[in-house]
Amino acid sequence: MQPLANITPLKPAGAIEVRNVGQIFKTTSQDVVALQDVSLDVKPGRFVVLVGPSGCGKSTLLMMMAGLRQQTSGTITISGAPILEPDPNRVGVVFQEASLFPWLTAEENVEFPLALRRVSKDERRAKAQDALKLVGLEGFGKRHPHELSGGMKQRVSIARGLVQDPPVLLMDEPFAALDEQTRMTMGDELLRIWAATGKTVVFVTHSLTEAVYLADEVIVMSPRPGRIVDHLQVSLPRPRTYEMLSGDAFGRMRDRIWQHIRKSA
Amino acid sequence: MQGLGVKAARIAIVVALFAIWEILSRTGIVNPRLLPSASDTLSMLGDLLQRASVRKDLVVTATEVLTAFALAVPFGVLIGFLIAENRYFADVAKPLLFFAFSIPKSIFLPMFILVFGVGFAQKVGFGFFSTIFIVIMSTTTAVESVKVEHLTIARSYGATQMQTAFRVYLPSMLPVLLEALRISMIFNLTGVILAEMYASRDGIGHQIATWGENFQMKQLLAGVVMIAVIAITFNELVRWVETRCSHWRT
Ligand SMILES: Nc1ncnc2c1ncn2[C@@H]1O[C@H](COP(=O)(O)OP(=O)(O)OP(=O)(O)O)[C@@H](O)[C@H]1O
Ligand SMILES: [Mg+2]
């Protein structure tokens, strides 16, 4: 992990602190309170999953962590410094499938963040190759997105998120558009990549199985105005295996999350 | 990929049309004074292209077309951009544009003559007027085809406005813009030639109108073939570029 210049971290790289954060959207007809008084601590290197009913503000919270949107109240710090605007050195983002640029090849997509910073061509290529290799796509760099499967596209997105080696990776429903099998495989792949890089991951999903399977911690949010209603530690050992899905511990945790979500429906 | 058979069939149809044309005229089924034969027309076309006066007319028309195009495209793109990026502008202007677009532009031609007189300005002005609406509307569509996800990604990796413009907006819009360019040229060419035919002292449209009035069918048909070839060539050129970036849309 590259050292962070310019800031003196009070917390080690990759720590996320969310303090009393609120978000109010002012629309012409009314003010929408999307999030209210959300506080959250994520330790470096943890895999944290956000779940909650549709419209509860998961994406909004992620956008604020990425510096893509400013909160109405409260503070968010990453690696000890407030996030006031997007900072690719601290945060990488991965969204749903549609976010690759169709006019660029896989490797050009991965190089995109570096190209913005005018990194030399050679260095860009080298870093993109490393990132593609990490996600298991060595040799696919010259293909365009339309020549890749859904799972491969998301691997490219992950490679793009990791290419600048930020300590934090934010992922908003990255596997939502994938079929069940591909989704399981991608989950395992993501865990492998996470273990290999030691990133802090915040991951949003609607799948409770996926949540428990991937997470160190699951954070459950209430319907709008979004608040945190539960914070589970997933005590299952790693590496996670397919057999755990049918185990008691797994079922209990999934049920507990489901109870919260059902209540709110 | 089209098979060779399709291409061959296409060429065969064009050849057949010319052959029928030739036969109709040669056998006198259609009065050759009304329909000179294809071969006579083509040799007349060769003749015309040798004539200094015709070349001058072509240059005049080309200058008008290019001037009108060079004015209408950037201007239309700019307005289209403002409309697409500004909610209020869009609400106000969009329906009005659709109204304007639906009116046949030719009925305004007499007004252009009254305002600009007969000459370069009138023809360019009318060409511009015929083209601008389609450019504005296509640009609006092109801007709307830019995906929010792509803009968000650019922003999250710290793209400047310039970088976003050139690395996201432009490539996203290019396929739609190319198509717009192609269609705009059809409107533009139609506008300028119509203006020339209606009231003008020079230009190939004026020539064609004169040939028609004087019953010079050979020249008239040769002129038609000439303009058709020019229009098709431009159209195909842009279409060729279009197909090369068609997968950008996906
Ligand atoms: N730009 C905006 N203007 C107004 N309201 C907004 C805006 N963005 C989001 N909202 C509202 O804020 C709430 C939270 O939205 P958000 O997209 O964060 O939810 P989410 O939890 O990600 O939902 P989903 O699970 O469906 O993705 C929603 O009710 C949404 O309608
Ligand atoms: Mg969302």
Side-chain angles (χ1 to χ4, degrees):
Chain A
M1 207 175 295
Q2 65 191 32
L4 295 160
N6 305 332
I7 52 165
T8 23
L10 309 170
K11 296 260 175 182
I16 305 174
E17 262 187 27
V18 180
R19 284 282 167 278
N20 311 105
V21 161
Q23 178 67 264
I24 300 171
F25 290 111
K26 298 208 185 301
T27 63
T28 41
S29 50
Q30 86 221 48
D31 288 359
V32 177
V33 183
L35 287 168
Q36 207 170 51
D37 199 27
V38 171
S39 294
L40 175 65
D41 266 304
V42 181
K43 293 197 185 65
R46 299 287 276 177
F47 198 121
V48 174
V49 174
L50 281 179
V51 295
S54 194
C56 73
K58 304 179 294 293
S59 297
T60 307
L61 183 55
L62 227 62
M63 294 282 268
M64 293 188 300
M65 288 179 176
L68 290 164
R69 180 177 277 298
Q70 277 306 304
Q71 58 272 21
T72 322
S73 56
T75 55
I76 297 178
T77 66
I78 288 183
S79 302
I83 283 282
L84 302 171
E85 58 180 10
D87 180 355
N89 285 316
R90 280 190 285 170
V91 175
V93 294
V94 179
F95 299 115
Q96 274 196 23
E97 192 172 310
S99 76
L100 289 182
F101 301 117
W103 55 87
L104 300 180
T105 61
E107 71 189 3
E108 287 166 343
N109 264 289
V110 177
E111 286 174 28
F112 182 82
L114 304 172
L116 294 180
R117 293 170 51 227
R118 307 195 197 297
V119 174
S120 79
K121 187 98 192 154
D122 289 344
E123 191 183 341
R124 249 155 54 190
R125 268 294 124 92
K127 286 196 169 170
Q129 291 314 320
D130 288 350
L132 283 169
K133 193 173 168 189
L134 176 67
V135 300
L137 280 185
E138 220 179 352
F140 288 93
K142 297 280 183 267
R143 295 214 195 168
H144 279 87
H146 70 108
E147 299 166 308
L148 299 172
S149 72
M152 288 159 106
K153 279 187 230 177
Q154 281 318 78
R155 287 175 200 247
V156 177
S157 289
I158 294 171
R160 180 173 63 185
L162 291 172
V163 74
Q164 296 195 80
D165 205 16
V168 172
L169 196 59
L170 303 177
M171 310 181 81
D172 194 354
E173 303 192 45
F175 306 149
L178 303 179
D179 61 81
E180 182 82 26
Q181 286 105 329
T182 312
R183 195 170 179 156
M184 284 300 295
T185 328
M186 284 305 293
D188 285 329
E189 274 297 289
L190 179 59
L191 288 180
R192 179 185 64 73
I193 294 163
W194 170 68
T197 56
K199 304 292 176 199
T200 311
V201 175
V202 181
F203 185 104
V204 173
T205 181
H206 275 117
S207 160
L208 304 190
T209 307
E210 188 174 64
V212 178
Y213 187 75
L214 296 176
D216 290 324
E217 307 168 29
V218 179
I219 289 168
V220 188
M221 293 174 63
S222 70
R224 221 175 61 203
R227 304 153 175 274
I228 293 175
V229 290
D230 201 358
H231 190 151
L232 288 80
Q233 305 290 325
V234 179
S235 49
L236 299 169
R238 295 199 187 263
R240 301 279 158 83
T241 61
Y242 190 72
E243 288 70 44
M244 291 178 188
L245 295 181
S246 47
D248 280 349
F250 198 97
R252 270 197 307 277
M253 274 179 279
R254 200 177 41 198
D255 285 347
R256 181 166 146 193
I257 300 168
W258 174 236
Q259 292 307 327
H260 289 294
I261 295 189
R262 198 181 58 170
K263 249 182 282 170
S264 62
Chain B
M1 276 286 111
Q2 284 156 353
L4 228 57
V6 175
K7 271 191 191 141
R10 217 175 268 160
I11 292 170
I13 290 178
V14 174
V15 171
L17 281 176
F18 273 87
I20 292 170
W21 174 6
E22 185 76 22
I23 291 164
L24 286 179
S25 173
R26 288 272 170 219
T27 54
I29 298 174
V30 177
N31 184 348
R33 289 191 54 200
L34 270 178
L35 185 74
S37 72
S39 52
D40 283 356
T41 303
L42 291 180
S43 78
M44 175 54 82
L45 177 59
D47 261 19
L48 288 179
L49 289 174
Q50 304 292 319
R51 285 189 208 165
S53 68
V54 172
R55 287 194 190 175
K56 211 185 110 242
D57 281 326
L58 278 175
V59 170
V60 167
T61 305
T63 314
E64 290 161 356
V65 166
L66 292 178
T67 310
F69 200 62
L71 288 173
V73 169
F75 211 63
V77 167
L78 187 71
I79 297 175
F81 237 105
L82 289 177
I83 289 175
E85 291 289 273
N86 185 316
R87 189 70 178 277
Y88 178 75
F89 238 57
D91 287 347
V92 173
K94 248 191 174 170
L96 298 181
L97 275 170
F98 273 97
F99 295 162
F101 186 64
S102 54
I103 306 170
K105 306 296 170 293
S106 45
I107 58 172
F108 294 98
L109 192 44
M111 290 166 68
F112 275 81
I113 294 166
L114 290 176
V115 174
F116 290 109
V118 170
F120 186 74
Q122 158 242 346
K123 290 178 280 180
V124 169
F126 188 71
F128 176 88
F129 180 69
S130 308
T131 315
I132 185 108
F133 297 100
I134 186 75
V135 178
I136 295 174
M137 297 210 308
S138 312
T139 307
T140 323
T141 317
V143 174
E144 281 161 3
S145 75
V146 180
K147 289 200 175 128
V148 183
E149 293 93 331
H150 291 159
L151 294 173
T152 310
I153 284 291
R155 215 151 62 79
S156 66
Y157 290 110
T160 62
Q161 281 196 339
M162 273 301 232
Q163 287 174 327
T164 310
F166 282 97
R167 289 173 184 270
V168 184
Y169 272 95
L170 192 63
S172 302
M173 291 169 60
L174 204 58
V176 184
L177 278 186
L178 278 174
E179 192 180 338
L181 224 56
R182 194 163 59 77
I183 295 168
S184 307
M185 186 47 117
I186 297 174
F187 278 78
N188 190 32
L189 203 57
T190 309
V192 168
I193 289 184
L194 189 69
E196 281 182 350
M197 292 178 78
Y198 190 80
S200 177
R201 291 184 199 91
D202 47 15
I204 199 69
H206 167 67
Q207 271 309 328
I208 288 177
T210 313
W211 289 327
E213 280 158 23
N214 297 338
F215 218 63
Q216 294 168 283
M217 295 312 284
K218 240 186 270 180
Q219 283 87 338
L220 176 63
L221 284 176
V224 168
V225 172
M226 180 157 56
I227 290 185
V229 169
I230 293 172
I232 291 172
T233 309
F234 179 84
N235 203 48
E236 288 306 299
L237 217 70
V238 181
R239 235 161 52 95
W240 178 76
V241 182
E242 261 178 62
T243 50
R244 305 207 58 184
C245 55
S246 61
H247 66 264
W248 289 14
R249 282 164 187 269
T250 52

